[in-house]
Amino acid sequence: MLSLLLPLVLCVPLVLCKCSDPSPAFPVPSWIQQHKDGSLASTFQAIDAALQTIASDDQYSTTSFSIQLTSETETLWSHHHTALKHNATRPGTTHINDQSLYRIASITKVFTTLGLLYQHAAGNLSLDDPISDYIPELNSSSAIPWKDITLRLLASQLSGIPREGNWADLATNPFDPTSVGLPLVKKEDLNLPACFDPEIFESCNWTQILPYLSKKQPVFAPGQKSTYSNVAFELLGLVLARVTGLSYEDYMHESIFKPLKMESTTFTTPESDEHAVLPVDQFFWDVDEGIHNPTGGLYSSSADMSIFLRYILTHYNALATGVNWFMPTSWTGLRSFYGMPWEILRTDRILEHSNRPVTFVTKGGAVPSYFSRVTLMPEYGLGLTLLIGGESSILEKIQEAVTIPLVRAAEEAVWQDIDTTHSGFYTALNHSLNSSIAFAASPATGLEVKSFISNGTDIFATLLSTYARLSGIPEGDKWRAQLSPTLLFKDEGRREGEIWRMQIVHERNDDGAIWDDFCLVDVDPVSYAGLPLNEVVFWHGEQVVELSAFRVKMGRLGGGSGEGIDEGSGEGLFVQQSS
């Protein structure tokens, strides 16, 4: 057997990479079907109670917030809290609900980038064009190499340009600089745009700001390191205006808000305070951000943001050719990354039964008195909106209180569903063959192959054990055969014939070497007669599994192993809650 499989050596890394939990994706259950009988009601009740406890702290007496969870198709749960104290002269809304309006600040960058992707897909611009092709004024005697800064780098926080134009300059703050050790500077020596007036909080126009930007120094070389920049998105907004012939604000309305029916989302201060969330001492509600709109000018509601997240969850890999919008573009820490323009966390510390990483694709925003974050969990097909008016420190407390129990409950629901639909014992439809395979699902090991006989041959004792040795797994170490979904189908039109790939998983322990964390994914190592040796296809309508390279179909005799899964049908898992 070993001699027959020697060609596999060419397909195996020279150093074994212990990708012990290789499958961060799985078929997402139908949350619509599962949210009818309330099996997760206790989870949401516990989250509601935790949120009420957080909000009861005296430091949050002037803070209101809205939280909403959506699946790919509908809102599943929401929680709204109204501040105990309001401004006596201008209270705004005193009953927070999903129509309440907040400033969502830098979440606006996601909309700007979506507009950019639309224009890239239409062929009106390329993400890899330099910004100077669209704003040639930047080339004039500038220390920043604008010709080397592409639209993609700007949207990915990899441009290396400064964070702000003038708004972050301490000279714009009404305080005594000498109190913090800074010298006094005369107004004529401020080295700020000519339009700047420290007594008036208003934006410059492009005629005034572009010459100022041309004099700025770079922070990094383009594409070298990531650093946050608001200016990058202000420039992208100008590019969109010049490419489309519309104002940036009109283009956003016509291309995104109007088609998606986001009727409350606007760059213009709402005429009425009926739905306005106006925290005590806020001063930013009425500020017109002008040319800064593309980086943080939007007003929106949790209901509108759920509409938007549903769209993103169902289109993120189909917005433009070659662009998966949820993929990282650079790292910002050990487990955190920038996307375009997402802020991504990937952690293996959240699941209770597995070290499999969970990915949170987020975008946060902050302007005075308003703090916000959207969190997409594409593995689960879920999106979370968190909008705050008031004290900023509540955001991280809410994020932790909501996402941890939510993901753990969704994880349990996922494996209950997979256990019901995939686990079981299958035998060959051609009864002349002595062929069978058994699967069991659990949160700890995923969908695992427990036994595999092909025409009387034990595949574990022959093919799989030989491949495990060739992969470098030491004799005596534990390994398993685990299925990883490709999220593709043999019949894409009817979404039938769900394709999975079998992988050998080395079960690591806690005393491994540093380089055990070096994981190179390879799910297509070898084929047989032109078909992937590890391809497993589930035809759920027929209760049949197909082993492609083995040229065999097997029918399901029994299902639902229950291994590692709490008892229950898995139905009715999400209910809408609010308080």
Side-chain angles (χ1 to χ4, degrees):
M1 175 61 70
L2 184 60
S3 62
L4 292 175
L5 294 180
L6 281 178
L8 288 179
V9 175
L10 299 175
C11 306
V12 178
L14 294 178
V15 177
L16 177 66
C17 304
K18 298 181 181 179
C19 304
S20 58
D21 289 287
S23 177
F26 31 69
V28 175
S30 170
W31 299 123
I32 294 179
Q33 180 61 35
Q34 297 195 14
H35 109 268
K36 292 181 180 177
D37 84 356
S39 298
L40 266 185
S42 60
T43 298
F44 287 104
Q45 288 167 3
I47 294 175
D48 286 330
L51 293 172
Q52 289 164 4
T53 299
I54 292 170
S56 66
D57 192 311
D58 287 344
Q59 68 176 312
Y60 302 128
S61 61
T62 61
T63 298
S64 298
F65 58 82
S66 294
I67 309 169
Q68 196 160 93
L69 176 72
T70 185
S71 70
E72 295 176 349
T73 55
E74 66 176 3
T75 297
L76 303 171
W77 168 80
S78 59
H79 184 110
H80 304 282
H81 173 76
T82 303
L84 298 177
K85 298 178 182 178
H86 301 272
N87 190 309
T89 58
R90 192 182 181 188
T93 182
T94 56
H95 177 69
I96 302 297
N97 56 34
D98 65 358
Q99 299 299 317
S100 299
L101 290 173
Y102 301 75
R103 299 211 74 154
I104 66 170
S106 284
I107 294 177
T108 307
K109 292 177 173 67
V110 176
F111 293 87
T112 301
T113 307
L114 180 58
L116 197 70
L117 290 175
Y118 282 168
Q119 290 303 305
H120 174 82
N124 297 329
L125 56 77
S126 169
L127 293 174
D128 297 311
D129 288 339
I131 183 72
S132 55
D133 283 2
Y134 303 94
I135 312 177
E137 300 98 310
L138 291 171
N139 280 328
S140 176
S141 62
S142 177
I144 297 174
W146 296 106
K147 63 181 178 58
D148 298 325
I149 298 174
T150 65
L151 306 184
R152 189 190 302 272
L153 290 177
L154 288 162
S156 304
Q157 302 291 16
L158 274 169
S159 65
I161 67 174
R163 188 183 198 277
E164 304 287 353
N166 62 291
W167 275 12
D169 197 297
L170 288 178
T172 65
N173 290 271
F175 79 110
D176 177 8
T178 63
S179 67
V180 294
L182 291 170
L184 287 171
V185 178
K186 296 178 181 180
K187 185 175 181 179
E188 58 267 23
D189 297 329
L190 282 176
N191 195 30
L192 290 171
C195 57
F196 173 72
D197 186 335
E199 305 298 325
I200 303 174
F201 194 84
E202 63 181 23
S203 65
C204 300
N205 60 45
W206 282 118
T207 302
Q208 297 162 324
I209 204 73
L210 287 176
Y212 173 69
L213 291 178
S214 293
K215 298 176 184 178
K216 300 284 280 186
Q217 296 293 315
V219 180
F220 295 119
Q224 182 183 46
K225 291 185 179 181
S226 54
T227 183
Y228 198 86
S229 174
N230 282 322
V231 174
F233 290 85
E234 293 162 7
L235 293 173
L236 291 175
L238 179 57
V239 169
L240 288 173
R242 290 185 172 182
V243 167
T244 63
L246 300 172
S247 71
Y248 165 80
E249 293 79 7
D250 285 346
Y251 174 62
M252 290 290 104
H253 178 77
E254 292 300 319
S255 66
I256 300 176
F257 309 150
K258 187 176 178 180
L260 293 183
K261 296 182 172 56
M262 297 177 66
E263 297 176 356
S264 299
T265 303
T266 179
F267 288 99
T268 305
T269 304
E271 294 181 1
S272 166
D273 286 351
E274 178 184 1
H275 298 293
V277 178
L278 301 176
V280 173
D281 297 329
Q282 74 79 26
F283 63 90
F284 208 82
W285 180 258
D286 299 299
V287 170
D288 180 357
E289 295 198 29
I291 64 170
H292 307 292
N293 273 335
T295 204
L298 274 176
Y299 301 79
S300 194
S301 65
S302 59
D304 266 17
M305 290 308 300
S306 285
I307 292 172
F308 182 66
L309 295 186
R310 285 194 284 273
Y311 173 74
I312 298 306
L313 282 167
T314 52
H315 291 78
Y316 67 89
N317 199 26
L319 292 168
T321 301
V323 176
N324 181 334
W325 204 16
F326 286 168
M327 284 296 178
T329 57
S330 67
W331 58 84
T332 63
L334 181 63
R335 297 182 177 90
S336 53
F337 311 85
Y338 274 132
M340 189 172 67
W342 304 104
E343 296 145 3
I344 301 167
L345 169 67
R346 190 166 165 82
T347 177
D348 61 357
R349 299 167 59 188
I350 193 168
L351 300 181
E352 296 178 291
H353 304 292
S354 171
N355 291 324
R356 196 190 78 246
V358 172
T359 302
F360 297 99
V361 180
T362 83
K363 184 69 193 81
V367 292
S369 297
Y370 296 96
F371 310 92
S372 53
R373 182 176 291 160
V374 291
T375 301
L376 293 136
M377 294 154 274
E379 297 153 21
Y380 301 97
L382 298 172
L384 183 72
T385 297
L386 170 54
L387 306 177
I388 295 168
E391 171 59 45
S392 65
S393 64
I394 200 172
L395 188 147
E396 296 302 332
K397 294 179 181 180
I398 292 176
Q399 186 84 5
E400 193 87 358
V402 174
T403 56
I404 292 176
L406 171 63
V407 165
R408 288 175 176 171
E411 178 80 1
E412 182 180 348
V414 162
W415 292 110
Q416 285 179 344
D417 185 71
I418 291 177
D419 185 56
T420 300
T421 55
H422 295 71
S423 292
F425 186 73
Y426 297 74
T427 61
L429 298 180
N430 180 349
H431 299 298
S432 66
L433 298 177
N434 178 14
S435 296
S436 65
I437 194 166
F439 306 105
S442 78
T445 59
L447 184 58
E448 185 179 358
V449 183
K450 303 299 287 187
S451 66
F452 184 8
I453 304 297
S454 177
N455 203 20
T457 300
D458 185 343
I459 300 302
F460 270 86
T462 54
L463 191 64
L464 295 182
S465 62
T466 301
Y467 185 75
R469 290 199 301 276
L470 291 173
S471 298
I473 298 177
E475 193 74 31
D477 276 20
K478 292 183 178 180
W479 56 271
R480 66 179 184 271
Q482 181 176 327
L483 297 188
S484 296
T486 66
L487 306 183
L488 298 174
F489 298 85
K490 288 292 185 180
D491 185 340
E492 287 287 349
R494 296 190 301 139
R495 295 185 69 80
E496 277 288 338
E498 189 179 85
I499 304 171
W500 296 59
R501 290 296 187 100
M502 190 188 309
Q503 293 179 266
I504 299 297
V505 178
H506 189 174
E507 297 188 0
R508 74 193 326 172
N509 50 42
D510 292 332
D511 57 358
I514 294 296
W515 280 82
D516 284 351
D517 287 331
F518 188 45
C519 176
L520 302 177
V521 177
D522 179 7
V523 298
D524 189 32
V526 68
S527 61
Y528 177 66
L531 295 176
L533 192 65
N534 63 345
E535 185 175 82
V536 179
V537 183
F538 288 90
W539 298 92
H540 293 297
E542 306 167 35
Q543 293 285 288
V544 164
V545 65
E546 178 182 1
L547 286 300
S548 301
F550 292 85
R551 272 71 173 179
V552 64
K553 289 187 176 182
M554 304 186 197
R556 194 183 194 195
L557 295 184
S561 70
E563 183 173 326
I565 306 290
D566 293 332
E567 290 185 0
S569 67
E571 296 180 357
L573 291 172
F574 279 109
V575 294
Q576 186 166 351
Q577 299 283 320
S578 64
S579 66

